[in-house]
Amino acid sequence: MRASVCTMKVLLLKEPKYDDLALDPYVKELSAHGIDAALIPVLSFAFVSLPMFFEKLSHPEMYDGLIFTSPRAVEAVKLCLEKSSNRKAWERSLREKWNSKSVYVVGKATAALVNEIGLLSEGEETGNAENLSEYICSKETTYSGPILFPCGSLKREVLPTKLREKNVPLEALAVYQTTHHPNIQTSLTDYFAKQGIPASIVFFSPSGVKFCLQFLQTLSEDQVNKIKFAAIGPTTAEALDAEGFHVSCTAKNPTPQDLAMGIKTIDKQ
């Protein structure tokens, strides 16, 4: 009689890329490695100040570049371009004028979205805001105007602080607000009731840590000790560590492939 094979269960706490959760790149990559991956959305986003944002986008001559540190910030541009007159202005001249400047991004997902709106980008290999700020500062550019930084209401101050220290002018504008997903408590409770304790839980943002913390604290100590916590990057790992959770794995880069490699390392521990 053959022994049954125990499949490693991993819970991903992130925003899905597609409506069909099974098509999410992280779920697909982990599944390809024989890992039973499930995804629960933990964040909800509301876009704000879009007319003001497009007004700033309409005056590229006032800025020396753009910074995108999240896909949502690029989605804010897309929402602005849904208005016919805005899109015409973008395609007629604004896109070309912004492409004459530096457009900085963090991560491949954000870079791909920036490419979809017709902009060329740099810095995607930096992986996080801290490394991107160092990359920007290393260019030693002379600035005639600030860099426009569309961001979330819960943005961390790492990038603005580092740029300020190096006298790189920055103009931040909150274009989306981050809150907890309305179904997070129900989804987590349902997962644990049906699937039991996962071998690992992966967090994808400091906000995700913040909004899931209360639920994790309701678990018994024995249950929590069975879980190995993973982070998509150093910023999220720091947020977990600050709350007293041991981080067993931090993805080398914020990609499905690097996360899968890290999770497989956890499994061997």
Side-chain angles (χ1 to χ4, degrees):
M1 182 176 177
R2 295 179 61 186
S4 60
V5 177
C6 182
T7 303
M8 182 184 186
K9 291 184 179 180
V10 173
L11 178 59
L12 307 175
L13 301 180
K14 70 181 292 289
E15 181 186 8
K17 189 170 179 61
Y18 304 104
D19 291 337
D20 185 348
L21 303 187
L23 295 178
D24 184 88
Y26 286 88
V27 173
K28 291 179 67 176
E29 182 67 24
L30 290 175
S31 298
H33 289 272
I35 297 170
D36 183 3
L39 185 154
I40 292 179
V42 296
L43 303 178
S44 180
F45 303 98
F47 290 94
V48 296
S49 304
L50 295 185
M52 183 186 299
F53 181 32
F54 191 73
E55 177 65 21
K56 294 180 183 297
L57 288 174
S58 299
H59 294 282
E61 71 279 0
M62 296 177 60
Y63 300 95
D64 269 13
L66 272 166
I67 296 177
F68 294 105
T69 58
S70 75
R72 266 77 56 193
V74 190
E75 288 168 18
V77 179
K78 287 188 170 184
L79 289 173
C80 289
L81 298 182
E82 286 182 354
K83 187 176 180 180
S84 178
S85 58
N86 290 358
R87 175 164 286 280
K88 288 179 181 178
W90 180 258
E91 294 178 346
R92 184 171 57 247
S93 63
L94 295 179
R95 178 176 56 196
E96 183 179 353
K97 289 178 179 177
W98 280 112
N99 267 331
S100 70
K101 306 172 184 292
S102 295
V103 179
Y104 302 105
V105 300
V106 168
K108 293 183 178 180
T110 303
L113 288 173
V114 165
N115 183 254
E116 288 179 12
I117 59 174
L119 295 180
L120 304 175
S121 64
E122 57 183 294
E124 68 175 78
E125 69 286 344
T126 56
N128 60 62
E130 183 173 8
N131 290 342
L132 179 63
S133 64
E134 292 175 357
Y135 173 83
I136 294 172
C137 293
S138 71
K139 297 185 71 174
E140 298 183 353
T141 302
T142 300
Y143 294 92
S144 59
I147 301 176
L148 182 59
F149 177 33
C151 55
S153 56
L154 297 180
K155 77 177 189 307
R156 296 176 75 246
E157 292 301 317
V158 171
L159 185 142
T161 299
K162 283 190 172 291
L163 294 188
R164 192 181 308 118
E165 289 172 351
K166 296 293 185 179
N167 296 316
V168 177
L170 187 72
E171 184 177 319
L173 175 67
V175 295
Y176 64 92
Q177 295 176 337
T178 306
T179 60
H180 65 85
H181 194 282
N183 299 327
I184 181 175
Q185 187 73 22
T186 302
S187 298
L188 286 169
T189 301
D190 186 59
Y191 175 88
F192 276 74
K194 294 180 178 178
Q195 301 294 330
I197 306 298
S200 181
I201 296 179
V202 185
F203 287 87
F204 285 74
S205 69
S207 299
V209 174
K210 172 185 174 183
F211 295 133
C212 293
L213 185 62
Q214 185 175 356
F215 175 82
L216 292 174
Q217 289 174 334
T218 65
L219 297 175
S220 70
E221 187 174 338
D222 287 345
Q223 289 176 313
V224 172
N225 289 341
K226 292 178 182 177
I227 303 170
K228 291 180 178 178
F229 295 98
I232 194 60
T235 303
T236 303
E238 289 172 10
L240 278 165
D241 185 65
E243 297 296 345
F245 292 95
H246 174 69
V247 181
S248 297
C249 157
T250 301
K252 185 177 180 181
N253 296 293
T255 67
Q257 294 74 22
D258 283 298
L259 178 63
M261 290 175 62
I263 292 296
K264 291 176 72 175
T265 301
I266 288 181
D267 194 29
K268 296 175 182 177
Q269 293 176 2

